[in-house]
Amino acid sequence: MTGERLIYVIHKHKATRLHYDFRLQVRGVLVSWAVPKGPSLSTKDKRLAVRVDDHDLSYAGFEGRIAAGNYGAGSVIVWDNGTWRPIGEPAPEAQLKAGKLKFTVYGKKLAGEWTLLKMRGNDKNWLLIKAKDKYVSDGDITQLRPESVISGRTLEEIESDSRASVIDCSGDSFS
Ligand code: MN
């Protein structure tokens, strides 16, 4: 596993409610969590991360609009991307099954060590927590860096751009 470049991406997604979709490649899919408040670089914050459907790897670079009538209809930007690597044993699938995944992120906005921790009593609720390292910060990264890392554009700019990419696959879920 060491040295393998696994996809990491966060989509900022304005659907019914604004949220950040935190996605990590595990084997052939993007395992995904919807984080309502987005990530925090402070170790004091434990951000709710609700497990949602896995997505295809091909979705990692999508930025544009999800047409009305699709689940998740609204606009999407690639808020951060890069690679990630699990920390320690066992393999990430087993760590996920056990409810605790420790990993390192190599992104443009997020970096360093993180933990995803499954909450008791609910299958879908996890917490996304920054681990203590040199990348910790009290600044609110979602406010400081609202823009897309691939286009420099904001969600609002994508929303009002009639030429933005559109996906329309009724029946599929783009949560
Ligand atoms: Mn979403």
Side-chain angles (χ1 to χ4, degrees):
M1 189 60 68
T2 307
E4 194 180 345
R5 311 279 286 180
L6 297 165
I7 296 169
Y8 144 78
V9 61
I10 299 181
H11 285 113
K12 185 177 180 183
H13 182 190
K14 191 174 177 186
T16 311
R17 301 180 76 162
L18 179 69
H19 59 275
Y20 295 74
D21 291 301
F22 189 95
R23 309 191 196 277
L24 299 175
Q25 177 186 359
V26 177
R27 298 202 175 193
V29 296
L30 295 169
V31 177
S32 300
W33 291 262
V35 184
K37 289 186 174 176
S40 169
L41 298 175
S42 168
T43 55
K44 289 172 239 157
D45 292 328
K46 295 175 171 60
R47 291 289 160 86
L48 176 66
V50 181
R51 182 85 182 258
V52 293
D53 291 343
D54 297 345
H55 279 54
D56 288 343
L57 295 182
S58 61
Y59 189 62
F62 177 75
E63 179 164 294
R65 286 197 306 274
I66 298 166
N70 294 274
Y71 187 80
S75 45
V76 174
I77 60 170
V78 177
W79 183 79
D80 195 20
N81 67 7
T83 60
W84 77 282
R85 198 154 62 183
I87 297 172
E89 298 291 327
E93 300 92 314
Q95 290 195 40
L96 285 172
K97 211 165 188 180
K100 186 177 184 181
L101 177 65
K102 297 181 78 173
F103 56 100
T104 306
V105 168
Y106 307 89
K108 299 177 177 80
K109 296 176 184 172
L110 304 194
E113 296 187 10
W114 295 76
T115 305
L116 272 162
L117 191 63
K118 194 176 185 178
M119 295 169 76
R120 288 165 196 260
N122 185 309
D123 260 4
K124 297 202 176 295
N125 290 354
W126 294 62
L127 296 170
L128 176 66
I129 309 162
K130 181 75 197 77
K132 200 170 177 181
D133 61 23
K134 65 178 179 180
Y135 300 104
V136 167
S137 168
D138 283 333
D140 183 347
I141 189 72
T142 63
Q143 296 300 312
L144 292 168
R145 300 288 306 278
E147 81 290 352
S148 161
V149 293
I150 61 170
S151 68
R153 306 173 83 195
T154 63
L155 199 50
E156 291 70 28
E157 287 175 294
I158 295 290
E159 206 174 356
S160 60
D161 179 2
S162 58
R163 290 169 305 173
S165 305
V166 176
I167 44 178
D168 188 355
C169 309
S170 295
D172 278 0
S173 166
F174 294 96
S175 49

